[in-house]
Amino acid sequence: MKYQEPMLCPGSLQEKTIIVTGGGSGLGKSMTKYFLELGAKVIITSRNIEKLQTTADELSKITGGDIFPVACDVRDYEQVQNVIKLSLEKFGKINGLVNNAAGNFISPTERLSAHAFDTIIDIVLKGSKNMTLALGKYWIKEKINPATVLNIVTTYAWTGSAYVVPSATAKAGVLAMTRSLAVEWAKYGIRSNAIAPGPFPTKGAWDRLLPGNLKEKFDPAKKIPLKRVGVHQELANLAAYLMSDFSAYINGEVITIDGGEWLYGAGEFNQLEKIPQEMWDMLEQMIKNRKK
Ligand code: HXC
Ligand code: NAP
């Protein structure tokens, strides 16, 4: 078995009907593909219905699964309610949500207009809130149990990060919501968890976070202890596990999948890995000599 391979047994998501926001591209598409392979019914949403339809056609052909594309801007609560209405008409029940849709770009914060800052907060934080609130109300009223929310955040939700301040602010809010609702809604059989990915190549992220030659200048793999970026199937494996009943006792958790990246940035002496072996011999002697 290799880490690039599917992990769960066939039929692991047979009873699940899952909404994946931003499911037409990138990581949302990869998670959707694997959910379908495992037997889930999946509703994919984003603003661009042509893109969603193309993805739905492609994935239903590859997996033979039930996939339903619905246009929805997650910033608009009425559109979110409409997704739920159409999904219930189509599948009769929804019991999973992946808040994956996001907006992001790099910029010095002082260059941002108030509207630019709002745009990111509205997609990431308000969008996740809109989906979670609307589905939570439905789950509680209709006693849909178990139900699961999975929020895709990132490691700077807790470290913060320069040059993506609206995204960091919003993801921190989503993480707080994850942990808060994990406790409050557990009594209804609703679990809330999050995944914090490190760099996983997608067009959406790379075009906005590493435009032009930044890809070469700031090769993300170089600051990852495992010296590679993530493979989509690895993230899909983790997401499928967290959406499945195999993870029934995991609630309020954020699981980092970043090859050790954020800890590498945080540890006081981690940079010492640049010191060659011969120099360690010399340093060891210097330290020991001081003791004498
Ligand atoms: C400064 C910018 C800007 C930029 C847009 N704006 N891009 N300001 N620098 N590079 C400003 C605009 O001028 C405008 O403000 C405001 O932001 C809204 O822009 P619009 O283009 O009107 O918004 P909209 O059409 O809603 O598009 C949203 C978007 C866009 C976020 C700007 O990039 C988008 O659609 N993104 C969706 C996909 C995405 O971002 N994927 C990457 C996720 S990666 P004014 O004041 O002029 O009106 C990710 C990874 C995290 O999250 C972790 C990695 C390790
Ligand atoms: P992506 O392909 O750009 O995904 C973002 C998706 O969100 C798109 O499908 C986009 O579709 C949708 N979206 C944006 N604004 C929306 C809105 N207002 N309403 C509804 N949908 C909207 O990028 P990605 O890399 O796969 O990112 C997916 C998730 O992973 C995000 O939460 C991101 O923060 C997280 N993440 C990614 C990485 C990485 O390295 N790739 C690392 C850490 C975290 P439309 O444009 O059609 O609306």
Side-chain angles (χ1 to χ4, degrees), residues 12-43:
S12 291
L13 295 178
Q14 202 72 59
E15 308 300 322
K16 306 296 179 194
T17 302
I18 301 168
I19 297 181
V20 180
T21 67
S25 66
L27 297 177
K29 181 177 171 183
S30 298
M31 287 187 278
T32 297
K33 176 171 177 278
Y34 193 40
F35 295 169
L36 291 166
E37 286 169 355
L38 292 170
K41 299 178 178 69
V42 185
I43 301 100

Side-chain angles (χ1 to χ4, degrees), residues 47 75 102-105 113 115-116 119-120 154 156 204-205 208-209:
R47 296 162 297 179
R75 293 172 282 194
N104 201 359
F105 49 77
S113 67
H115 181 225
T119 299
I120 304 306
T154 185
Y156 60 58
R208 292 172 177 93
L209 304 176

Side-chain angles (χ1 to χ4, degrees), residues 281-292:
D281 294 339
M282 197 181 78
L283 291 169
E284 187 182 333
Q285 275 316 312
M286 280 168 72
I287 297 165
K288 285 183 175 167
N289 287 344
R290 274 191 70 87
K291 218 167 103 187
K292 281 182 206 150

Side-chain angles (χ1 to χ4, degrees), residues 30-105:
S30 298
M31 287 187 278
T32 297
K33 176 171 177 278
Y34 193 40
F35 295 169
L36 291 166
E37 286 169 355
L38 292 170
K41 299 178 178 69
V42 185
I43 301 100
I44 53 171
T45 72
S46 85
R47 296 162 297 179
N48 182 338
I49 189 63
E50 288 82 29
K51 182 171 81 177
L52 292 172
Q53 191 61 61
T54 306
T55 296
D57 291 345
E58 181 192 330
L59 296 187
S60 85
K61 209 165 160 190
I62 299 174
T63 66
D66 256 336
I67 177 166
F68 183 42
V70 186
C72 166
D73 188 324
V74 288
R75 293 172 282 194
D76 180 344
Y77 194 70
E78 275 184 21
Q79 291 187 42
V80 164
Q81 286 176 307
N82 185 50
V83 172
I84 295 175
K85 180 175 159 283
L86 295 177
S87 304
L88 290 176
E89 283 168 13
K90 172 91 176 159
F91 294 127
K93 185 167 138 180
I94 308 159
N95 49 15
L97 164 66
V98 181
N99 281 312
N100 164 79
N104 201 359
F105 49 77

Side-chain angles (χ1 to χ4, degrees), residues 3 221-229 234 257-261 264 273:
Y3 65 81
K222 288 198 176 128
K223 62 184 179 75
I224 296 171
L226 289 175
K227 299 295 174 218
R228 67 170 177 87
V229 291
E234 293 178 279
I257 177 163
D258 75 343
E261 182 195 38
Y264 178 66
E273 74 166 4

Side-chain angles (χ1 to χ4, degrees), residues 126-145:
K126 195 172 153 194
S128 302
K129 175 276 291 179
N130 281 343
M131 291 299 310
T132 307
L133 184 65
L135 271 171
K137 283 174 186 287
Y138 150 70
W139 286 332
I140 293 165
K141 184 162 174 265
E142 300 298 329
K143 298 190 169 47
I144 305 292
N145 174 353

